[in-house]
Every structure is written in C-alpha cells, then in structure tokens.
Amino acid sequence: AGFLWPGIRPGLSFEDIFSFAPRPAQKAFYEAANGPGVFVLEAPMGLGKTEAALYAAYRMLEQKKSSGIYFALPTQLTSNRIHGRVNAFLDRILEAGGSALLLHGMAWLERFRQQRMGGEAKPNQAWFSAGRRGILAPFGVGTVDQALLSVLRVRHSSLRSFGLAGKTVILDEVHSYDMYTGSLLDALVRQ
C-alpha cells in the first residue's frame, strides 16, 4: 500500500534529473539542505526554485533522511499545474516509477478523468484518495490547507501530522499567504 521506503535511484545528479546544469543559487540551496531543518529559497521568478527544492528532496530521499514528499501550494490551480512536473521528477528518481497523489478539495475530478479500473490498493490509488487518508501517500501535491489542518484543532489532525512526519514538505508561493495563514505556517514548521 505504499508504506515501504520508496526505491530511489541512487547517485543521480541535478543534470540527470532536470536535463540542465544547476544555477549557482540552486546549487547553493541543495547543498545547504543536507539534513532535517527549515530551508528558505527566496528568488525572482524563473530562477528554478522548484527544481532546487525537488533536488534537495531527492537527496534527502536518497540518504534515507526523508520518507516522501508533500508539495504544498496556495491554490488548486497551482497544485494541478505542479502535479505534472512532480510526476515527471518522480519518474526519473523512483526505481519502479510512480506518481504523486493530487490532494485538494476538487482533486477527485482529476482522478475521475484519469480513472483506471482495478489496483485500488496500489500506492496513490483509490484507498489513499479518501479524504484525510491522502496525506499518508508517500508522495503528494496539493493545497497548503491539507498540511495546515494538522496544526488546527479539527478531527483527525493527528492523522495528518502522522502523514507529514518524516517527509520533505515543500511550501511554495509562501509570499501569497495572509497573516492568519502565515501564523498557521509558523505552527506547521514548529510541528
């Protein structure tokens, strides 16, 4: 059901995964992100922040310092857009291939559109798709609220915390959040 350590192709360089050489800022970021912690990359649009974050996550997975990835974005549209890029990344780094589960309130529409019969218990398939269980999948892309629900006093928040534990959590587009969401992000980072 996907609860085993993901099989990662070892020794891939940045160029092997993304087909271009890293920029100095990207290289500095993924070299600094060499263990558990909070790492911030602030740069103008087009610098390659997404690739830098994904390569840092790959290195954490390769060293068994992380058990998966959750890529959080502010909107359903941005989540849908990055989902394909993360899946292409996973195809390159996972030995058996794989894909990230899309997690947001309307993700079922995307799953319905791409539905395959059978295999419901495979990683990122129907069993994980049910509401709050999606965060348990080894790889996920979704809206930031899916992660923020782990720090609020709501039902099953501990299940969401468990789903994020041990994963590399990438928070993108942080500049777009308001003060309230920012305070919840602080609580998420502390957790």
Side-chain angles (χ1 to χ4, degrees), residues 8-188:
I8 303 296
R9 291 184 181 136
L12 297 175
S13 69
F14 189 94
E15 292 177 32
D16 292 336
I17 297 172
F18 300 110
S19 302
F20 63 89
R23 294 184 174 104
Q26 291 171 318
K27 188 172 183 181
F29 179 77
Y30 69 70
E31 286 178 349
N34 58 5
V38 176
F39 303 94
V40 177
L41 177 57
E42 184 178 2
M45 198 166 85
L47 184 82
K49 296 179 292 291
T50 299
E51 289 82 3
L54 287 173
Y55 190 69
Y58 163 73
R59 291 181 55 175
M60 297 290 282
L61 288 163
E62 181 186 33
Q63 298 167 26
K64 297 197 182 307
K65 294 180 180 176
S66 175
S67 61
I69 300 171
Y70 184 68
F71 203 114
L73 293 122
T75 67
Q76 293 174 5
L77 178 63
T78 54
S79 298
N80 289 347
R81 295 269 169 97
I82 204 76
H83 186 242
R85 289 174 66 188
V86 171
N87 283 340
F89 163 77
L90 291 174
D91 279 342
R92 290 186 181 104
I93 70 159
L94 295 177
E95 290 175 342
S99 63
L101 187 63
L102 185 61
L103 298 168
H104 59 66
M106 299 303 283
W108 65 272
L109 287 173
E110 289 294 317
R111 284 191 295 275
F112 181 75
R113 191 173 59 82
Q114 300 168 355
Q115 187 173 11
R116 290 181 231 143
M117 300 306 284
E120 290 83 8
K122 288 183 182 177
N124 305 331
Q125 296 301 320
W127 186 88
F128 287 110
S129 299
R132 61 196 159 270
R133 286 189 294 213
I135 203 87
L136 297 173
F139 301 101
V141 174
T143 50
V144 72
D145 64 303
Q146 300 298 314
L148 294 179
L149 285 170
S150 70
V151 297
L152 293 174
R153 289 187 178 180
V154 296
R155 290 182 68 197
H156 308 293
S157 63
S158 58
L159 179 68
R160 290 178 188 275
S161 295
F162 176 73
L164 293 173
K167 287 184 183 163
T168 299
V169 178
I170 301 170
L171 302 168
D172 201 359
E173 304 289 337
V174 175
H175 65 277
S176 67
Y177 301 129
D178 59 13
M179 186 187 286
Y180 174 74
T181 307
S183 64
L184 293 177
L185 281 174
D186 289 342
L188 178 64

